[in-house]
Amino acid sequence: MLSQVKTFEGMLDAKGLRFGIVCARFNDFFVSELLSGALDTIRRLGGDPANIDVAWVPGSFEIPLVISKMMDSGKYDATIALGMVIRGSTTHADHINSQVSKALGQLALEKGIPAVYGVVSTENIEQAIERSGTKAGNRGADAARTAVEMANLLKNFSRKG
Ligand code: INI
């Protein structure tokens, strides 16, 4: 029974894949670390740095528009959004988080290209440090791994002819 089931998985092999990464400059102290983690991961999975484009935008709120343009260019197998939204004393961060996550999800569905959500939302600076390459790992590296897996998985479902 199980042997007849066709199972699809995306391999963790970045060879030949093209990536568009959009980084938010707001809190760039952390976002630069997320980007380093993402680039290092793609390189160690066999990706070619010449196949990676990086665009910087003012803040996380601006990320989806550039992701959308990157998708329309037809140049990328996957896109990655990197940002750091740190909660302050107002609800500003909540508005950014919900808008950006919703927009990225919609873009991926509409255009059929992964829009990996590497926008980290934290309560404070300590949590931001933990997720930018210290005790909770590097969310940029996680996002890159997801992008590679999804790009390879989707190759199985591309329309032929
Ligand atoms: N942008 C971020 O990426 N992170 C934040 O923590 C943040 N906060 O807290 O304000 C932030 N704000 C800027 C926002 O993304 C837009 O750039 C701005 O509102 C202009 O559209």
Side-chain angles (χ1 to χ4, degrees):
M1 168 68 178
L2 258 183
S3 63
Q4 291 173 322
V5 174
K6 200 163 183 188
T7 301
F8 298 97
E9 286 181 305
M11 291 297 117
L12 290 176
D13 178 2
K15 193 159 180 273
L17 295 178
R18 300 155 308 159
F19 302 90
I21 302 178
V22 183
C23 296
R25 201 170 277 117
F26 205 104
N27 293 321
D28 74 334
F29 181 86
F30 298 110
V31 179
S32 297
E33 295 303 316
L34 300 180
L35 177 60
S36 294
L39 295 177
D40 179 62
T41 296
I42 292 171
R43 182 185 57 79
R44 286 189 294 114
L45 292 176
D48 182 349
N51 287 337
I52 306 172
D53 291 339
V54 178
W56 285 87
V57 295
S60 293
F61 189 79
E62 283 72 39
I63 292 176
L65 175 59
V66 181
I67 293 273
S68 172
K69 294 289 181 188
M70 282 181 160
M71 288 172 164
D72 288 345
S73 76
K75 282 170 61 181
Y76 306 104
D77 298 296
T79 63
I80 301 171
L82 298 178
M84 179 63 72
V85 181
I86 303 175
R87 189 190 289 275
S89 53
T90 67
T91 57
H92 190 65
D94 297 331
H95 295 300
I96 297 170
N97 287 330
S98 67
Q99 172 58 23
V100 174
S101 59
K102 211 178 297 164
L104 290 175
Q106 275 169 0
L107 283 170
L109 292 178
E110 275 167 25
K111 302 187 192 261
I113 298 169
V116 180
Y117 187 57
V119 178
V120 182
S121 44
T122 72
E123 293 294 323
N124 50 48
I125 301 262
E126 189 183 354
Q127 288 181 354
I129 294 170
E130 286 172 359
R131 288 156 180 75
S132 307
T134 61
K135 76 177 191 188
N138 183 311
R139 291 295 166 82
D142 298 342
R145 220 171 290 113
T146 298
V148 172
E149 181 172 345
M150 286 300 291
N152 284 326
L153 176 65
L154 290 184
K155 284 183 193 167
N156 291 291
F157 308 114
S158 54
R159 199 187 291 270
K160 301 217 168 64

